[in-house]
Amino acid sequence: EAGVTQFPSHSVIEKGQTVTLRCDPISGHDNLYWYRRVMGKEIKFLLHFVKESKQDESGMPNNRFLAERTGGTYSTLKVQPAELEDSGVYFCASSQEVRPSDNSPLHFGNGTRLTVT
Amino acid sequence: GNSVTQMEGPVTLSEEAFLTINCTYTATGYPSLFWYVQYPGEGLQLLLKATKADDKGSNKGFEATYRKETTSFHLEKGSVQVSDSAVYFCALSGRGAQKLVFGQGTRLTINP
């Protein structure tokens, strides 16, 4: 079974540019989550999709961030325009059930390291 | 709101030493508690979990006990190995909530 795939693994962009991160969840997983870890601090929740719908987007920092999951498969997270404080590692995770359990654990991708200069 | 506070790192130990990484939490109700680990170049993996007070989660020689009276979930291992070098995250999920709340992570380095 393929795991959660994220790309790119690294991205270096200049302030003001646009970057799009992609996450491919495990096939069949309706639930997809985005998290972010900034500058060695805690990992923070960004948003949660159930299929193509945004279930909870309370963690999105501002309107420069746009997440989509067209067709309920892969998801993209676009940052436009990027600011210095957006630098960090962006993690994607997926699960089969809404509330992860022993039968439906939460699987994380390796993350995308974003550096804004 | 819910929050998790972890012992600050980095932590450096010699092989076979005893490990404790402290974790305390603030939450309403009865959250589920987790330890995740991120090995170099990899994603987050669930290490262990506990879903109610006094439960003990264990995996790969690591243990953590859900202590409601002290709101803690400290991670312990009796004898660490070089392969345990990683970043460890304590996390919780509230009842009825799907999202995880993480601590800031503790980088652990084990020297041979």
Side-chain angles (χ1 to χ4, degrees):
Chain A
E1 175 184 79
V4 176
T5 306
Q6 291 187 247
F7 51 94
S9 57
H10 293 86
S11 179
V12 181
I13 61 171
E14 292 183 353
K15 175 182 172 180
Q17 290 186 322
T18 298
V19 63
T20 300
L21 314 181
R22 173 167 168 151
C23 169
D24 285 68
I26 292 174
S27 178
H29 281 195
D30 288 340
N31 295 274
L32 188 149
Y33 306 80
W34 283 99
Y35 288 85
R36 174 174 77 167
R37 187 182 191 210
V38 173
M39 290 188 64
K41 296 187 178 178
E42 68 271 25
I43 299 171
K44 287 192 173 180
F45 168 83
L46 295 178
L47 86 160
H48 170 206
F49 283 101
V50 177
K51 297 185 181 180
E52 67 275 7
S53 299
K54 293 176 184 175
Q55 179 81 3
D56 180 354
E57 52 183 328
S58 60
M60 294 289 267
N62 53 60
N63 58 11
R64 295 185 294 103
F65 289 75
L66 175 63
E68 295 181 320
R69 192 182 182 196
T70 306
T73 54
Y74 70 90
S75 174
T76 58
L77 180 64
K78 180 190 287 187
V79 185
Q80 178 182 31
E83 298 290 344
L84 298 179
E85 64 264 25
D86 300 332
S87 296
V89 180
Y90 291 75
F91 291 102
C92 177
S94 73
S95 67
Q96 196 163 32
E97 297 176 6
V98 169
R99 187 164 176 80
S101 64
D102 287 341
N103 293 327
S104 175
L106 190 62
H107 296 264
F108 279 85
N110 287 2
T112 293
R113 181 174 296 279
L114 174 65
T115 302
V116 182
T117 62
Chain B
N2 295 343
S3 67
V4 174
T5 301
Q6 265 181 258
M7 132 186 210
E8 288 193 23
V11 175
T12 303
L13 296 172
S14 298
E15 204 164 22
E16 300 183 1
F18 183 85
L19 168 71
T20 299
I21 301 178
N22 290 337
C23 171
T24 57
Y25 67 90
T26 301
T28 54
Y30 302 92
S32 294
L33 302 174
F34 308 84
W35 276 100
Y36 280 83
V37 58
Q38 184 182 21
Y39 297 105
E42 299 184 13
L44 291 165
Q45 302 174 25
L46 178 63
L47 180 60
L48 54 84
K49 68 176 185 181
T51 58
K52 61 183 187 294
D54 300 325
D55 267 2
K56 177 185 285 187
S58 60
N59 186 24
K60 299 182 180 180
F62 291 89
E63 293 183 340
T65 301
Y66 189 142
R67 301 286 188 198
K68 193 172 190 312
E69 64 276 13
T70 54
T71 62
S72 65
F73 193 55
H74 304 322
L75 182 68
E76 296 182 337
K77 186 172 185 180
S79 176
V80 292
Q81 306 300 313
V82 172
S83 57
D84 294 327
S85 298
V87 182
Y88 292 80
F89 295 91
C90 186
L92 68 81
S93 68
R95 292 300 183 199
Q98 295 80 35
K99 61 190 179 187
L100 291 167
V101 176
F102 286 90
Q104 67 268 39
T106 302
R107 179 174 296 279
L108 173 67
T109 301
I110 307 300
N111 294 321

